[in-house]
Amino acid sequence: WFEYVPKTVKTSKNKSMALVVSLHGNQNDPRIQGDTTGWPELAAKENFIVVSPEWQPKDVNFFKVDGLGEEGVMNLIKDLLVKYPQVDPEKIYLNGLSIGGAESFLLGLKHSDVFAGVGITSGVNVFADEDWCYNKLLDTDVSFSIKY
């Protein structure tokens, strides 16, 4: 994964910073996901951390390495909370592009106790036929808004 950590992290108080996890699109490079989203520049200006992991399986990801998958992404967040005590566990956000947006949506539903918010950019609806997803939407207390 790639971390974008502002210089101010060393002088920031514990639990004072947000964490943004940014998931790339299908077969994209996680470095490019970080570099082209504007998150690193905003993180430097607004004092938060951004991480862009390789989350897709080996057969479809850019580096042809074992991707983290859902469990790995969630474990990465736990590891980052230990590595950076400055991160406030109440300020963890998830963002994704294309299939990364779809995965962000799914992770946001499954782990709504972890994420303060989810942002989806050009997300594809690959989970529409899954009963679990539909039932989770009916069961959740999460509000959704769509902006055009």
Side-chain angles (χ1 to χ4, degrees):
W1 65 85
F2 298 91
E3 295 177 21
Y4 303 88
V5 182
K7 293 177 183 178
T8 55
V9 72
K10 292 180 181 178
T11 58
S12 295
K13 293 180 182 178
N14 286 358
K15 297 185 179 183
S16 66
M17 300 178 78
L19 169 66
V20 172
V21 179
S22 188
L23 303 181
H24 62 78
N26 191 42
Q27 299 181 344
N28 290 355
D29 180 340
R31 294 172 302 180
I32 293 173
Q33 174 69 10
D35 291 343
T36 61
T37 59
W39 283 123
E41 295 82 4
L42 189 59
K45 182 179 175 185
E46 299 293 333
N47 198 37
F48 63 88
I49 296 171
V50 179
V51 64
S52 183
E54 179 51 81
W55 65 275
Q56 283 189 299
K58 183 178 187 173
D59 61 326
V60 295
N61 73 45
F62 181 81
F63 290 111
K64 305 298 181 207
V65 297
D66 292 330
L68 296 178
E70 176 184 338
E71 184 179 344
V73 169
M74 300 312 296
N75 286 333
L76 172 61
I77 291 168
K78 290 176 189 173
D79 291 345
L80 291 170
L81 287 170
V82 172
K83 183 177 181 180
Y84 300 109
Q86 299 87 343
V87 172
D88 182 344
E90 303 286 318
K91 295 179 182 174
I92 299 173
Y93 301 91
L94 185 60
N95 157 261
L97 169 69
S98 188
I99 191 69
E103 185 69 10
S104 295
F105 176 74
L106 185 63
L107 288 175
L109 286 175
K110 289 177 108 174
H111 303 281
S112 60
D113 59 322
V114 173
F115 299 107
V118 176
I120 301 163
T121 306
S122 300
V124 293
N125 190 8
V126 296
F127 306 111
D129 292 333
E130 292 188 23
D131 288 339
W132 177 92
C133 190
Y134 177 74
N135 291 328
K136 182 69 175 172
L137 280 172
L138 293 178
D139 251 1
T140 189
D141 209 9
V142 177
S143 63
F144 297 90
S145 70
I146 300 173
K147 297 188 180 192
Y148 297 96

